[in-house]
Amino acid sequence: SDVYKRQYQRRVRVFKLKNKEFTFDVDVSNLPCGLNGALYFIEMQQDGGMSEHSGNKAGAKYGTGYCDGQCPHDIKFINGEANLLDWKPSPNDPNSGFGRYGTCCIEMDVWEANSQAAAYTPHVCTVQGQYRCDGTQCGDGSNRYGGVCDKDGCDFNSWRMGNKQFYGPGLTVNTNQKFTVVTQFITNDGTDSGTLSEIRRFYVQNGKVIPNSQSSFSGFKPYNSVSDAFCVDQKKLFGDKDDFEGKGGLKALGEAMDRGMVLVMSLWDDHEVYMLWLDSNYPTTAPPNQPGISRGPCATTSGRPDDVEKNHPNANVKFSNIKFGQLGSTFGH
């Protein structure tokens, strides 16, 4: 399920994040392997597409207009039309399916996490705003890198970057307790109009400010934030295609922030690959000791939605104390 930040009855609030910081408290202690309590920004239309599409009589108040960097095909209404063409019900999710069209836009994943693993990840696209994709534009299957959006993104996951003692139950950021997440969007010249150049992360827990962990691979720079240099070097180290830089990198994300992005919070399980990309070894066919494959401590057999939903029916994430403001203004340091 998704929740938007509404500003007016029919419009969602848009945030302009460059040269600002976004801070919130989160409790993930009741989120096991296979679940994802997410907080992120997307470049959807503020009114959910009502003013642009005559068939859309519902608007953002009723959840229309959603899009993200995965160009999802399971959205049932896109651009004021039912996504009925070529609809195929999901084989393992009675509430979902796959239609002809996807709905794409730039996405900034500030927080994707459970009690075992966490990542923050920008995804960029070659299109502006919400875009209904069709065919190869959607980047499906073997054409993953041929679509309009960078589905992989450029993620910073402390475990994946080599530090397995930083985030988790009883670790430096102790997920048995509530903590504060601070994300700063740095520009090259320190102004709101500058080019987005870095995304920094801090945590605060029990009154202590905790800098983000550093990458710790031999011969690899000790990065602790997301920058274009980090993304290029990480993709080389992991042997991944650099679709992020190929589709515009942080500059493209910054331009979306200039136009304004919408805050979304969600809690979901994964019927495709069981959230292994976040908290386990993925792909499961690759050696776990290969850099970039191990992303968290969860077993590769974990995360099956039927198991998660049956055995953890009361799982939840709690977001609170959300703040947005000038750099350094939203947390004690």
Side-chain angles (χ1 to χ4, degrees):
S1 61
D2 294 326
V3 178
Y4 306 105
K5 169 61 178 174
R6 280 226 315 273
Q7 186 174 21
Y8 309 108
Q9 187 175 12
R10 292 181 177 272
R11 296 166 69 87
V12 289
R13 175 174 176 175
V14 295
F15 290 81
K16 297 193 175 182
L17 297 163
K18 279 180 9 184
N19 199 38
K20 300 292 191 296
E21 69 186 25
F22 191 89
T23 298
F24 57 91
D25 292 348
V26 65
D27 184 343
V28 295
S29 61
N30 198 27
L31 278 186
C33 297
L35 285 174
N36 186 341
L39 183 150
Y40 57 106
F41 290 92
I42 57 174
E43 198 190 355
M44 69 174 277
Q45 293 159 295
Q46 193 172 12
D47 66 356
M50 267 187 91
S51 59
E52 185 172 341
H53 305 291
S54 60
N56 184 348
K57 305 299 184 183
K61 179 180 180 180
Y62 294 98
T64 66
Y66 181 83
C67 55
D68 66 37
Q70 301 303 314
C71 299
H73 286 262
D74 61 345
I75 305 301
K76 296 180 176 67
F77 291 89
I78 305 175
N79 290 7
E81 298 177 359
N83 193 17
L84 289 173
L85 290 177
D86 306 324
W87 181 267
K88 297 179 179 64
S90 168
N92 55 15
D93 182 354
N95 298 313
S96 189
F98 191 95
R100 173 174 175 172
Y101 300 114
T103 180
C104 315
C105 64
I106 289 177
E107 173 182 1
M108 175 64 225
D109 291 322
V110 174
W111 185 251
E112 292 192 284
N114 54 41
S115 61
Q116 304 299 313
Y120 71 102
T121 311
H123 299 265
V124 293
C125 307
T126 58
V127 294
Q128 294 185 11
Q130 182 270 334
Y131 178 81
R132 186 174 76 172
C133 69
D134 186 13
T136 59
Q137 299 172 324
C138 300
D140 299 322
S142 61
N143 187 51
R144 183 175 182 83
Y145 302 108
V148 298
C149 289
D150 162 38
K151 295 189 173 185
D152 290 357
C154 174
D155 65 300
F156 197 109
N157 172 330
S158 293
W159 181 291
R160 192 181 188 212
M161 295 313 302
N163 190 331
K164 299 181 179 181
Q165 299 301 315
F166 182 73
Y167 178 93
L171 301 182
T172 303
V173 177
N174 181 5
T175 58
N176 288 329
Q177 304 172 358
K178 182 173 69 173
F179 52 90
T180 301
V181 180
V182 182
T183 309
Q184 298 180 329
F185 300 95
I186 309 299
T187 59
N188 64 333
D189 61 2
T191 70
D192 293 2
S193 60
T195 300
L196 183 67
S197 60
E198 185 182 9
I199 306 172
R200 294 178 185 165
R201 166 60 49 85
F202 300 90
Y203 299 89
V204 184
Q205 191 169 44
N206 297 323
K208 178 183 177 182
V209 177
I210 305 170
N212 195 28
S213 63
Q214 295 183 336
S215 50
S216 58
F217 290 102
S218 176
F220 191 79
K221 293 180 182 178
Y223 292 106
N224 72 342
S225 64
V226 170
S227 63
D228 285 316
F230 163 76
C231 296
V232 170
D233 288 349
Q234 186 221 50
K235 300 291 185 180
K236 288 180 181 176
L237 175 68
F238 293 166
D240 294 337
K241 181 176 176 62
D242 191 356
D243 205 31
F244 180 73
E245 296 301 326
K247 288 186 166 69
L250 287 183
K251 182 176 183 293
L253 176 62
E255 290 168 353
M257 291 178 174
D258 287 336
R259 295 186 292 267
M261 302 185 76
V262 171
L263 173 64
V264 184
M265 290 168 276
S266 68
L267 175 59
W268 61 288
D269 54 17
D270 184 352
H271 287 256
E272 300 298 324
V273 295
Y274 314 128
M275 219 69 74
L276 302 181
W277 57 269
L278 174 67
D279 60 22
S280 186
N281 299 329
Y282 190 79
T284 57
T285 54
N289 60 353
Q290 178 181 320
I293 299 302
S294 184
R295 299 142 188 267
C298 299
T300 56
T301 55
S302 68
R304 274 56 177 174
D306 55 350
D307 174 67
V308 172
E309 293 167 15
K310 177 182 177 181
N311 292 306
H312 303 280
N314 298 314
N316 63 79
V317 60
K318 298 176 183 176
F319 294 110
S320 60
N321 204 25
I322 295 174
K323 300 178 183 178
F324 172 66
Q326 301 297 320
L327 296 175
S329 68
T330 66
F331 72 107
H333 55 95

